[in-house]
Amino acid sequence: MRRFKRIITIVLPSLGIGETADAARFGDQGADTLGHVCDYWQGSLKLPTLTKLGLGNIPRRSPLTGILAVTPLQSHVGKMRSISDDKDSLSTHWELMAAVHQRTLATFPNGFSSQLIKKIEKFSNRQVILNRSASELTAIRLFGQQQLKEGDLIVYTSSDSVLQVSANEMVVSLAELYRICRYIRFVADEDQLNIGRVIACPFIGKSPSNFKLTDKRREFAIDLPAVTALDVLKQHQIPVTGAGQLTDLFSGRGMTRQIHGQKAILTKILKTLETQTFGLIIADLGSLDEDAHARDPYGYGKDLMQLDAWLNAVVQQLTPTDLLLITADHANDPTFKGIGHTREFVPLIAASPNAIGGQLTQSLELADVGATILANFGIDHQLPGKSFLNQIS
């Protein structure tokens, strides 16, 4: 079995590829993130890098509009499903790294309790506004002006197990916003509220027309319930660079280096490829999920094309001893009802220069990614997941 010297794993949150067999249990019949985005763009969605890597070759009920299958196939492709009982980003990211979360995290469709809100107001000495389900962009567009004027805290949630706090950086400093979120994390854990993430979502601008989220977003996650593949890699002294949202989702555990922020993250990852020649580089590129929550298929397609161009730069840096894994942790159809994630398969592309491509098994699960990474570095483990390394060697 061939082992790769370096594995680069790129997670594109929300890039679903069609409903799973259990979609009806979640009310997600008919969801198809990539299919519906391609249909929306009427064949003008140009993804040359992903197309060349075999995105159009992944089995699905109907072909993707404008995304062709390629011959010969140079990568190994397939699709994976989650076995978690929810669609939360926290659970699915953990699952990718072979830690299946059996306890369903709490959600708050009617907002948070008055007791919790009172505690937040007392600690922060600021009033809480909104306190209901909303996308990040909707929250700041509708309530950003009031927050800027009155100094309140915009508190909201989504279909995920999250408590989000937005404030304008001109009114609430980043240090204060992070301190408030750390307090909420403490209270949520002490009161056993089972909130998956407390998220600081700062924004800038002086009016709704130019309000925008910044790259200073921070997530304060509930403690991981189990050992992950990242923990095991660290135990075996395998270098791990984590980039993007997942550094917070794993609370930095198992990572020897972290890359935060969004604005410069793509450039920093390319720089890391130049200097880290061994181990794991794993990056979460979450901009697509923001478009999906806002139900913006135009913005989704635009961002996806920009990421496709960036992926080409990644591919250009690959050597024959590299393995590139491209996938998603969950789906989020921007044309679907509501604002939440959708229960779908996610794509899996495994690429290495000079490889002979093919189809991966049809029964892949998210945890198989973590199991494959551990198998590649010759590490025995008792974590969930089955390695597909022998299929791509």
Side-chain angles (χ1 to χ4, degrees):
M1 182 183 297
R2 177 184 176 186
R3 291 177 178 168
F4 298 93
K5 187 177 179 182
R6 180 175 67 172
I7 297 180
I8 302 104
T9 302
I10 305 298
V11 182
L12 303 174
S14 80
L15 193 64
I17 198 164
E19 66 178 68
T20 55
D22 63 351
R25 183 161 69 93
F26 297 87
D28 292 336
Q29 307 97 309
D32 184 1
T33 301
L34 189 57
H36 289 156
V37 171
C38 287
D39 290 344
Y40 176 88
W41 280 76
Q42 298 180 333
S44 61
L45 188 70
K46 304 301 180 184
L47 305 174
T49 306
L50 287 168
T51 298
K52 185 176 180 180
L53 291 172
L55 183 63
N57 294 74
I58 298 175
R60 46 179 288 119
R61 292 179 179 177
S62 59
L64 293 167
T65 302
I67 308 294
L68 301 177
V70 294
T71 305
L73 183 58
Q74 298 179 348
S75 305
H76 283 80
V77 300
K79 56 186 181 182
M80 303 188 297
R81 67 182 182 94
S82 169
I83 62 171
S84 296
D85 286 333
D86 56 46
K87 302 176 287 182
D88 193 282
S89 296
L90 194 60
S91 300
T92 52
H93 273 85
W94 289 350
E95 193 176 341
L96 274 176
M97 290 296 104
V100 178
H101 189 240
Q102 301 295 349
R103 184 180 67 182
T104 302
L105 297 169
T107 56
F108 305 87
N110 299 315
F112 302 97
S113 69
S114 59
Q115 293 91 335
L116 178 58
I117 296 301
K118 287 177 181 178
K119 288 182 179 181
I120 296 172
E121 291 179 332
K122 182 177 180 179
F123 177 83
S124 66
N125 197 29
R126 296 179 182 276
Q127 295 297 306
V128 166
I129 55 177
L130 186 54
N131 190 25
R132 61 175 174 81
S133 182
S135 72
E136 294 175 349
L137 295 176
T138 299
I140 65 172
R141 286 170 182 164
L142 294 181
F143 291 87
Q145 194 70 45
Q146 179 180 344
Q147 193 283 321
L148 182 60
K149 181 180 179 181
E150 304 292 340
D152 303 327
L153 299 175
I154 308 173
V155 173
Y156 52 104
T157 187
S158 71
S159 58
D160 279 358
S161 181
V162 296
L163 186 154
Q164 294 165 272
V165 186
S166 281
N168 196 302
E169 290 185 17
M170 292 193 300
V171 177
V172 180
S173 70
L174 290 173
E176 180 183 356
L177 182 61
Y178 296 160
R179 184 170 66 251
I180 292 168
C181 288
R182 288 190 186 95
Y183 169 77
I184 299 171
R185 175 77 273 163
F186 170 79
V187 170
D189 293 341
E190 186 177 58
D191 294 349
Q192 299 181 343
L193 301 180
N194 200 24
I195 300 175
R197 289 172 288 156
V198 177
I199 309 176
C201 305
F203 66 96
I204 57 174
K206 296 183 178 180
S207 67
S209 62
N210 61 14
F211 285 151
K212 64 178 181 179
L213 296 164
T214 75
D215 66 345
K216 301 301 190 297
R217 171 189 174 111
R218 285 290 307 277
E219 304 196 9
F220 302 88
I222 196 171
D223 286 340
L224 275 70
V227 173
T228 74
L230 300 180
D231 295 320
V232 177
L233 289 170
K234 185 175 183 179
Q235 292 169 5
H236 287 78
Q237 300 181 324
I238 304 295
V240 176
T241 293
Q245 179 190 23
L246 65 84
T247 59
D248 287 341
L249 296 179
F250 288 92
S251 301
R253 272 179 45 178
M255 300 176 197
T256 51
R257 180 170 179 256
Q258 299 178 46
I259 300 174
H260 294 285
Q262 292 181 347
K263 289 183 178 178
I265 189 172
L266 300 183
T267 300
K268 289 179 180 178
I269 293 171
L270 293 178
K271 289 288 186 182
T272 301
L273 290 174
E274 296 175 1
T275 57
Q276 182 181 334
T277 59
F278 174 70
L280 173 66
I281 300 171
I282 180 168
D284 176 297
L285 308 180
S287 59
L288 294 175
D289 204 26
E290 294 177 9
D291 296 319
H293 280 301
R295 293 303 186 248
D296 178 11
Y298 174 79
Y300 194 103
K302 188 176 179 181
D303 279 348
L304 185 55
M305 286 188 284
Q306 291 176 345
L307 288 173
D308 185 88
W310 174 80
L311 283 170
N312 182 60
V314 173
V315 170
Q316 297 305 313
Q317 291 200 40
L318 296 180
T319 72
T321 60
D322 288 332
L323 174 63
L324 172 64
L325 300 177
I326 301 173
T327 187
D329 68 300
H330 68 270
N332 196 352
D333 188 339
T335 71
F336 209 63
K337 61 186 178 183
I339 61 171
H341 296 166
T342 45
R343 190 74 160 187
E344 302 177 45
F345 289 101
V346 296
L348 176 63
I349 296 174
S352 184
N354 306 324
I356 299 174
Q359 295 283 343
L360 294 169
T361 177
Q362 298 298 299
S363 58
L364 293 168
E365 298 174 353
L366 295 185
D368 297 346
V369 172
T372 299
I373 292 170
L374 293 177
N376 178 74
F377 292 106
I379 300 174
D380 292 328
H381 63 91
Q382 301 299 318
L383 302 183
K386 297 179 181 179
S387 171
F388 50 81
L389 188 64
N390 62 338
Q391 297 185 59
I392 56 178
S393 297

